[in-house]
Amino acid sequence: MFERIVLAVDSPDQARGAVAAAVDLATKSRGEVLIVHVHDTWLVSRQTVDLKTQDEARSLSAALLEAVLDVVRKEALRGRRGLRVAQAAGVAREIVQAARDFGADTIVLGSRGLGGFAGLPLGSVAYRVIQLADCPVVVARAAGASAAARDRDERQTASAA
């Protein structure tokens, strides 16, 4: 069923749940995984991250892709990687385009677990991918994100009462 899986990764922390979900799907279907990272050029140009150059940012992106590819291959799965470049507003479109180009059956990506109104001002990439995708999308929360979101919701509910 899921023979061609696009795994979109952003950071090691956010990717953990998504990598596990993609490996599980690919193992069950003996599918191939395309690991995609969209390098956000806006972050580097606005210097909101601690990176010196575009080359350094690309190098870190390539290292992330290689690390995830190693995990996929250790499970005896077929995998390859792809680095794409976009500004922040175009990250979701690049992920969906990678899925189209690959002929993906599904897209798997991580979420920081902000959810609800907390995620809206940030322009959640996962939310946009769900809106734009032509195939099913699996959103896996990062480890501990569910508990953190639950705790936050409980605090908000308690303070509203």
Side-chain angles (χ1 to χ4, degrees), residues 138-152:
V138 175
V139 180
R141 285 203 170 167
S146 298
R150 192 173 39 254
D151 292 345
R152 182 194 66 241

Side-chain angles (χ1 to χ4, degrees), residues 85-147:
V85 178
Q87 289 190 341
V91 170
R93 280 191 299 272
E94 282 298 319
I95 292 169
V96 171
Q97 189 59 52
R100 288 180 183 140
D101 294 347
F102 185 58
D105 300 314
T106 191
I107 300 170
V108 178
L109 68 159
S111 170
R112 288 177 290 167
L114 294 175
F117 291 111
L120 291 177
L122 300 176
S124 171
V125 171
Y127 181 72
R128 289 288 295 146
V129 168
I130 291 167
Q131 288 180 318
L132 297 171
D134 301 325
C135 60
V137 178
V138 175
V139 180
R141 285 203 170 167
S146 298

